[in-house]
Amino acid sequence: MKIKQLTYFALIAIGASIMAFGKLYILEEYALAIGIVFLMFGIYKMSTSWKNTEEDSKEV
């Protein structure tokens, strides 16, 4: 269970670092596009892996 969250966090970190330092290796537009894809995929998968507990869902 913790391995998935670490993997998703790694995707977020990789996406952010590609956006920050990718322009040193490839064109800036491509670095930003690839970085956004990794970042958004990591954020999406991390947010869907969160589970609501019964205590959280009973709060109204």
Side-chain angles (χ1 to χ4, degrees):
M1 187 80 170
K2 296 278 184 182
I3 301 295
K4 286 183 182 180
Q5 291 176 348
L6 290 174
T7 305
Y8 301 148
F9 180 75
L11 283 172
I12 294 170
I14 288 169
S17 55
I18 287 174
M19 288 174 62
F21 302 112
K23 58 187 164 190
L24 299 174
Y25 304 107
I26 56 177
L27 290 176
E28 184 176 5
E29 292 83 13
Y30 293 132
L32 290 175
I34 293 168
I36 289 283
V37 169
F38 277 107
L39 191 68
M40 289 296 131
F41 184 72
I43 290 172
Y44 170 73
K45 293 300 280 182
M46 185 173 280
S47 67
T48 57
S49 69
W50 294 336
K51 296 189 176 167
N52 290 336
T53 61
E54 290 182 25
E55 296 172 5
D56 291 340
S57 61
K58 286 184 180 178
E59 291 181 24
V60 178

